[in-house]
Amino acid sequence: MKPLRIALTKGRLEKSTVELFEQIGLDCSCLRDKGRKLILPVGDGELEAVLAKAPDVITYVEHGVCDLGVVGKDTIMEHGSHFFEILDLGFGRCGFALAAPRGVDFYSGYREKTVASKYPNVARRFFESKKMDVRIIRIEGSVELAPLLGLSDGIVDIVETGVTLRENGLEVVERIAEVSARLIVNSASLKLRKREIEALAARLEAAIKGGN
Ligand SMILES: Nc1ncnc2c1ncn2[C@@H]1O[C@H](COP(=O)(O)OP(=O)(O)OP(=O)(O)O)[C@@H](O)[C@H]1O
Ligand SMILES: O=P(O)(O)OC[C@H]1O[C@H](OP(=O)(O)OP(=O)(O)O)[C@H](O)[C@@H]1O
């Protein structure tokens, strides 16, 4: 049987993913010593890991070229849902928040507000739920700059420790959602390779529960 192919988010989620895989007994030596390789064997022919940027993990799983993926709930909320989300992996914990310059009442006044975000869909849905008309400007990174430069009244961004906000004179106005890494599965793969996928998810779930 060919290995299950799993797309893993490069960067912040990588180390915890490898640690969790090792906890369930998968050999991750290739992942730990990957060099510039992007497709690597994991375990004893069980899995093939594909290292990708977060939104691309979703693209590969949605198109079925990867059976599974490890990706943050933030990316899922922003980029799509044509797959099954089967497990909260418990790491990569952070949250979405609306933030604004310290001491400024974001909600005051009648002028249309402008908000910068790397997650425009999340931001748009948040303000729609409040029935507020807000102009959203997409920014690719260091979103905290936008209000500092006078481009926006606030930001919708990820907050983990709160240090970036604090050091840039911003504060949380409202928390929007909690975020952690999730195991996602292509819908056809879940039918065709149900037993293997469910067995893997069960092992991961047991390790997550045991590790707490
Ligand atoms: N403090 C944090 N900031 C951003 N993401 C975090 C944080 N803590 C956990 N995460 C999770 O880690 C995932 C990957 O973040 P990472 O910064 O490695 O990649 P990225 O958001 O694509 O940024 P970059 O474009 O810099 O690679 C996020 O999608 C999120 O689920
Ligand atoms: O609450 P904190 O612990 O300070 O973490 C939150 C910060 O980390 C992320 O930025 P990242 O480092 O990924 O850079 P980016 O803004 O360029 O995406 C996020 O966008 C915040 O800026």
Side-chain angles (χ1 to χ4, degrees):
M1 183 75 94
K2 68 177 172 139
L4 283 170
R5 197 182 277 159
I6 184 163
L8 306 181
T9 301
K10 288 202 285 191
R12 275 195 171 90
L13 301 181
E14 229 178 295
K15 188 163 168 268
S16 302
T17 306
V18 169
E19 284 169 1
L20 179 60
F21 284 176
E22 287 179 341
Q23 249 179 287
I24 64 165
L26 294 172
D27 175 5
C28 290
S29 47
C30 291
L31 267 182
R32 284 198 177 274
D33 189 20
K34 63 182 191 307
R36 295 289 300 164
K37 268 192 120 127
L38 298 172
I39 303 183
L40 300 132
V42 170
D44 193 13
E46 269 180 278
L47 293 180
E48 183 171 65
V50 172
L51 294 171
K53 294 278 277 187
D56 299 338
V57 167
I58 291 197
T59 304
Y60 294 138
V61 172
E62 281 186 342
H63 284 81
V65 295
C66 291
D67 303 293
L68 298 141
V70 172
V71 69
K73 182 71 180 177
D74 53 320
T75 313
I76 295 174
M77 286 171 69
E78 180 64 19
H79 290 282
S81 53
H82 299 292
F83 47 77
F84 291 104
E85 182 189 315
I86 59 168
L87 191 59
D88 183 342
L89 297 171
F91 56 81
R93 286 191 189 281
C94 51
F96 275 126
L98 167 66
R102 199 177 297 133
V104 173
D105 181 1
F106 177 85
Y107 291 119
S108 75
Y110 294 104
R111 179 180 57 81
E112 188 191 49
K113 298 289 190 296
T114 300
V115 164
S117 186
K118 189 175 168 179
Y119 299 87
N121 292 326
V122 172
R124 185 182 36 76
R125 282 201 304 270
F126 172 68
F127 290 110
E128 273 173 8
S129 77
K130 291 184 163 295
K131 308 229 177 319
M132 263 180 85
D133 266 337
V134 170
R135 189 169 154 239
I136 312 284
I137 297 181
R138 189 190 158 91
I139 293 288
E140 292 298 330
S142 300
V143 179
E144 293 82 0
L145 278 171
L148 300 184
L149 297 175
L151 179 68
S152 71
D153 299 290
I155 61 173
V156 165
D157 197 19
I158 282 181
V159 179
E160 188 186 1
T161 61
V163 170
T164 312
L165 289 182
R166 199 163 58 241
E167 293 197 358
N168 291 288
L170 305 173
E171 65 183 2
V172 170
V173 173
E174 204 171 322
R175 285 192 79 89
I176 297 175
E178 298 312 307
V179 166
S180 57
R182 307 295 160 103
L183 182 67
I184 61 171
V185 188
N186 171 266
S187 8
S189 299
L190 191 55
K191 285 195 196 111
L192 296 170
R193 305 188 68 174
K194 190 173 169 58
R195 221 172 326 145
E196 290 159 90
I197 289 172
E198 285 182 349
L200 175 67
R203 283 161 73 196
L204 291 170
E205 192 173 12
I208 295 160
K209 285 193 177 141
N212 285 340

